[in-house]
Amino acid sequence: MALIARGVTLRGISAMDHRDAMPAYLREFGRAPREGALVYPYTRLTGIGQAPRALCELVAGRHLGAVLVEL
């Protein structure tokens, strides 16, 4: 709701609109995670019993990035 109240506009793009950039994208996003220049945030919870908690916290916005439930 805060985004709407501030008049923020979100617009997605499609890779199909920029096919010429795909080789450079694949090179960069293959290299960056390997070198640690790009880190994807995640939270890991252990056990199937944590799945409901993971979903509730994800929906509530308590985590940035992915929420993984390790089985």
Side-chain angles (χ1 to χ4, degrees):
M1 290 303 292
L3 293 176
I4 295 170
R6 293 183 182 146
V8 173
T9 300
L10 300 176
R11 181 179 179 275
I13 62 168
S14 171
M16 301 314 252
D17 296 337
H18 304 281
R19 292 180 194 192
D20 58 315
M22 189 57 72
Y25 169 84
L26 293 174
R27 274 193 313 276
E28 182 63 21
F29 284 91
R31 178 197 61 77
R34 281 193 305 274
E35 294 177 1
L38 180 64
V39 179
Y40 297 102
Y42 68 92
T43 300
R44 182 184 311 242
L45 300 172
T46 303
I48 192 68
Q50 295 297 317
R53 173 182 161 205
L55 180 59
C56 289
E57 290 180 357
L58 182 63
V59 171
R62 291 196 51 210
H63 301 290
L64 178 66
V67 177
L68 307 173
V69 178
E70 184 176 34
L71 303 178

